[in-house]
Amino acid sequence: MAWNVCLRVIEDMKALLLQNAPEINVVPMNGDWMSVQAARHGDDVLKWKAAHDRWSELRKKLMAWLCSTGNAFLWYTWDQNRGAALDGEQFGAPGQIIRAGKSLVDAISPMQVYASPHATELCASPYVMRRYNLSRQAAIRAFANGDPRIIDAILKCPGIGGDQVYWETALGSTPRPSAATA
Amino acid sequence: MNNAYGGVQKNEPDDEDGFISCLEYRHCPEGPDGEFPEGFVATAIGSPEYIHAVIDIGDNPYTWEQEGELVGGLGCTHFGAIRRPGAMWFDSWLKHIRSPQTELNRRQSQQMEHANRVASGPFIYPIGFSTFKHSLSNDPARMYEGPAHTSWLPQWVQPPQMPNYVVEAGRAALSILSYIVSPFGQTETKGSSGYHYAAMLEEKRTKAGPLVDEWEGSWEAHSNLELRMFQRHQGIPVNISVPMAPAGRGSFQPRTGRWRQEWYSAADVEGDIQAIVDQGSALPTSTLASLAFWAEGAKSGMINPLEPSIRQKFYQDMRWGDAMGTLSDMRQDYENAEHNIHLAQDLAQQQPLVNPQVDDLGVHEQVYRNFLKTDQFKAWNPMAQLRLQQLHGIVQLLLQRQAMQATMMQAALAGGATVGGGGENPQLASAAAIGPGEPMGGQQTMTQGFGNAILPNSAGPHEPG
């Protein structure tokens, strides 16, 4: 027989932090009219971001990692090659399609994140790394941009999920399975 | 550069190829003499053991300038549970509650094992005395042969008494866990008054304070990152949908539905701005405690529940803001007042109107007064400002007349006259007359003198937009 009190503690913590969304406001840091206007617009931008990037869902994912591991991360990515396609004429580039750019925010596990072991907080770390798994086709689509050298490198990269990598590192001379090196 | 959009796509025929591991590396900017004065972002593919190839490298898009220096660069925000001094990684609650939980389980198991032994204990019977053996139990584990001199009859074997330390250790573990649980799970505690609920809420706030502070600090950091990135990269305008606040909460926007569309680019948020998070906003608030506060405030006379602004605050506090239309007839008044602000701003429109026989003047006065204080109003065209100030003045005048009228009515009632909606009951008439902000429809006799003096251009009752 066991009373799972851990579950209740974790669920209570989740209830505590998820019950109300944080109330975020943008304020001007001086009395300059431009800053006052920028603060109003910034407030709109953050409200849009919260709805557009579904911060309510991100909060749930964050809490799931935070409660079980004590750490969680919001990983922000900006890509100028995505977003709404606009006619370049109004931006001084007739005949071209210009992308508005797009951001992506994801709540990720601390197991994916690596920072300097000497840093006492994240912002003091000189670097941060994120490791994730990607299918070869998705990697080609995301990174190759048609460059045959990158496509070749991605196709020749040893895969994971099988035991070929471990075979190679453990036994050295054992040839890799052909599927990974095709 | 093309950044990584991680994850496996749906319907991807990748199973035969398998997956690769991507490593995205973001280097912060260093000082001007450093090796990487502007930082960089690189993506490599490989396996958990080694890097196979670097497939993407470029400028760091996650930096911004602050007081002449390049800062930022990581583009991610850390959320933590229990801070450890001098360490980046936070502790989890699980780590600290695991050992009392293990202890509790062990003691619970021992107690249950003992209880099972007591409930179905074994028998002992004298050697050679097997006459009743199988009539007692068919379980050989429960039947023991004992020396014949102990007894001539089968007996229960008495298990030893449960040691007290087992019970005490279980209790101690449970009390540790209850201390952790109790601030956040008090549903079983019954409050008896508003003060009791307030004390419970206070305890919860005190214990959860550091946690909420960490949480909100991280949201603040992320919001500021979003703002800086918008300032740096969104050179091309983007169409955004901004959710509008419900009516009556100071949205002051034309009624175009629950969302309004705007085009914003980096230039629109150019300025010295900062995102802040209201402290304590993530704390759960007890509606029951708030209700008790309101009830005690009204009982002691500190709060006048009949005042429209107080009623609106009450609805918001109870989180009934969106149900205001059901609970009150004021929702339309708030919408009309906000629409009037919109009309006053647009000089091409007619002068906004109020109708004291229909509109709740208290609500209108409150909405106009609040708006007149805002920077938004100060940025208006002077003619538009004059129109709204005129309207506000008229509403104030009408309110004064209503108050004067109520005084007159009280005086008349004191003299024995039966005037107004109260009929022959002077108390009812008085109550109807002095209800603050109430429409004056019940007192036709007294209002007909200035029922039409409501507006600059006398165009008739206000039509809600």
Side-chain angles (χ1 to χ4, degrees):
Chain A
M1 177 187 166
W3 292 351
N4 192 346
V5 189
C6 292
L7 181 67
R8 187 174 166 194
V9 171
I10 297 306
E11 290 304 310
D12 281 348
M13 292 293 181
K14 275 187 190 169
L16 173 75
L17 289 176
L18 288 178
Q19 188 169 359
N20 292 351
E23 200 175 315
I24 301 166
N25 297 300
V26 180
V27 294
M29 298 309 285
N30 54 42
D32 186 24
W33 176 245
M34 196 175 161
S35 295
V36 173
Q37 284 294 90
R40 286 210 184 92
H41 296 154
D43 215 41
D44 285 351
V45 167
L46 282 188
K47 282 189 173 65
W48 167 64
K49 284 279 182 190
H52 187 258
D53 293 342
R54 300 179 66 82
W55 285 10
S56 56
E57 294 298 315
L58 288 179
R59 285 168 55 223
K60 291 176 200 163
K61 282 176 78 176
L62 271 175
M63 279 314 300
W65 285 118
L66 188 72
C67 290
S68 49
T69 68
N71 295 274
F73 291 86
L74 275 184
W75 191 263
Y76 178 94
T77 307
W78 173 262
D79 193 339
Q80 189 62 56
N81 299 323
R82 297 198 180 214
L86 304 166
D87 185 2
E89 185 150 1
Q90 51 185 318
F91 305 109
Q96 290 183 24
I97 297 294
I98 288 185
R99 291 283 185 172
K102 188 180 179 184
S103 65
L104 179 85
V105 185
D106 198 7
I108 61 170
S109 138
M111 269 80 84
Q112 290 188 343
V113 175
Y114 304 85
S116 166
H118 306 294
T120 53
E121 52 188 330
L122 180 68
C123 60
S125 174
Y127 64 86
V128 65
M129 285 186 284
R130 178 191 178 190
R131 209 196 87 197
Y132 53 92
N133 300 334
L134 208 57
S135 72
R136 289 178 200 282
Q137 295 303 320
I140 289 171
R141 234 189 349 262
F143 299 107
N145 285 330
D147 188 335
R149 295 170 303 164
I150 295 179
I151 294 173
D152 190 50
I154 290 172
L155 289 178
K156 285 186 176 167
C157 179
I160 57 167
D163 54 1
Q164 60 269 31
V165 171
Y166 300 98
W167 272 101
E168 181 175 87
T169 52
L171 303 177
S173 60
T174 304
R176 282 199 290 266
S178 59
T181 53
Chain B
M1 71 172 290
N2 195 345
N3 285 311
Y5 276 77
V8 178
Q9 304 297 315
K10 287 179 183 172
N11 306 320
E12 192 76 65
D14 270 333
D15 290 346
E16 57 192 44
D17 281 344
F19 299 90
I20 55 174
S21 188
C22 285
L23 190 70
E24 189 179 347
Y25 180 89
R26 297 176 176 185
H27 198 288
C28 279
E30 288 178 1
D33 301 331
E35 194 178 354
F36 309 109
E38 293 182 355
F40 65 90
V41 171
T43 307
I45 52 172
S47 68
E49 279 73 29
Y50 65 95
I51 288 176
H52 177 74
V54 176
I55 56 172
D56 199 6
I57 187 162
D59 296 336
N60 190 332
Y62 308 112
T63 56
W64 64 91
E65 272 198 28
Q66 189 174 308
E67 296 171 355
E69 285 187 9
L70 213 53
V71 297
L74 296 182
C76 71
T77 314
H78 190 182
F79 290 74
I82 303 173
R83 186 179 280 275
R84 293 187 300 151
M88 176 187 143
W89 297 94
F90 289 63
D91 267 355
S92 76
W93 302 298
L94 270 180
K95 177 185 165 185
H96 294 279
I97 59 179
R98 201 166 46 202
S99 54
Q101 173 77 74
T102 308
E103 184 64 25
L104 178 67
N105 288 354
R106 182 183 296 126
R107 299 310 172 197
Q108 287 288 330
S109 300
Q110 288 170 348
Q111 288 184 38
M112 290 313 293
E113 195 180 346
H114 186 265
N116 287 339
R117 279 186 184 163
V118 171
S120 56
F123 299 102
I124 188 167
Y125 61 93
I127 295 169
F129 191 85
S130 58
T131 310
F132 300 108
K133 184 178 173 183
H134 295 293
S135 63
L136 291 171
S137 171
N138 285 326
D139 183 0
R142 293 184 62 194
M143 309 303 288
Y144 294 102
E145 280 186 333
H149 58 81
T150 50
S151 170
W152 291 105
L153 292 172
Q155 290 182 355
W156 292 95
V157 175
Q158 292 295 324
Q161 198 176 3
M162 167 70 79
N164 201 36
Y165 71 85
V166 175
V167 181
E168 289 301 322
R171 269 189 205 144
L174 195 58
S175 73
I176 292 169
L177 289 164
S178 302
Y179 179 78
I180 298 168
V181 172
S182 63
F184 310 116
Q186 294 182 342
T187 48
E188 64 274 61
T189 310
K190 289 183 180 175
S192 53
S193 69
Y195 294 112
H196 189 173
Y197 284 117
M200 284 160 51
L201 202 63
E202 189 69 26
E203 186 191 355
K204 194 183 286 190
R205 283 180 190 278
T206 306
K207 289 185 175 173
L211 171 66
V212 171
D213 203 38
E214 291 285 358
W215 180 250
E216 292 187 337
S218 299
W219 274 111
E220 202 167 290
H222 176 73
S223 306
N224 278 310
L225 174 69
E226 292 267 11
L227 278 180
R228 304 296 169 231
M229 292 298 101
F230 198 88
Q231 282 176 332
R232 176 173 170 185
H233 296 296
Q234 203 66 67
I236 294 168
V238 61
N239 181 233
I240 70 176
S241 307
V242 184
M244 284 173 58
R249 294 188 189 175
S251 57
F252 303 124
Q253 296 293 337
R255 284 184 286 174
T256 55
R258 295 200 61 192
W259 298 82
R260 64 188 159 84
Q261 304 290 321
E262 302 279 357
W263 284 90
Y264 281 147
S265 69
D268 292 308
V269 291
E270 197 62 47
D272 192 3
I273 56 175
Q274 189 83 21
I276 57 161
V277 175
D278 281 355
Q279 291 299 310
S281 64
L283 268 180
T285 51
S286 164
T287 310
L288 211 52
S290 301
L291 185 60
F293 271 133
W294 278 97
E296 283 172 15
K299 211 164 33 178
S300 62
M302 286 190 296
I303 297 170
N304 178 8
L306 294 177
E307 210 171 295
S309 61
I310 295 289
R311 276 158 64 187
Q312 189 208 6
K313 183 80 185 69
F314 173 71
Y315 291 140
Q316 285 178 5
D317 219 19
M318 295 293 108
R319 301 179 191 178
W320 295 342
D322 292 336
M324 208 180 284
T326 313
L327 298 167
S328 159
D329 55 357
M330 290 191 301
R331 183 188 178 91
Q332 193 61 47
D333 288 296
Y334 277 101
E335 289 194 1
N336 287 349
E338 288 185 9
H339 187 63
N340 272 354
I341 290 175
H342 174 56
L343 288 180
Q345 183 188 16
D346 189 354
L347 296 177
Q349 299 274 357
Q350 62 171 350
Q351 173 79 7
L353 313 170
V354 289
N355 183 349
Q357 294 190 348
V358 177
D359 290 334
D360 191 326
L361 295 176
V363 171
H364 278 257
E365 202 277 334
Q366 177 207 355
V367 172
Y368 301 151
R369 178 160 35 87
N370 285 338
F371 185 73
L372 288 173
K373 298 173 192 167
T374 62
D375 290 336
Q376 199 179 345
F377 172 74
K378 290 170 193 161
W380 274 16
N381 179 315
M383 282 303 294
Q385 287 187 358
L386 188 64
R387 277 158 64 107
L388 187 60
Q389 281 167 340
Q390 266 185 340
L391 182 63
H392 183 229
I394 290 166
V395 171
Q396 280 185 321
L397 189 65
L398 287 170
L399 277 172
Q400 283 170 8
R401 286 190 180 179
Q402 280 186 353
M404 196 163 64
Q405 190 181 18
T407 313
M408 286 167 57
M409 192 172 288
Q410 277 184 323
L413 286 170
T418 55
V419 186
E424 292 188 359
N425 186 336
Q427 284 183 343
L428 278 181
S430 173
I434 62 173
E438 293 296 324
M440 299 300 290
Q443 289 80 39
Q444 292 298 328
T445 312
M446 304 298 289
T447 54
Q448 63 187 3
F450 49 87
N452 293 325
I454 48 179
L455 31 124
N457 55 2
S458 298
H462 168 75
E463 289 293 332

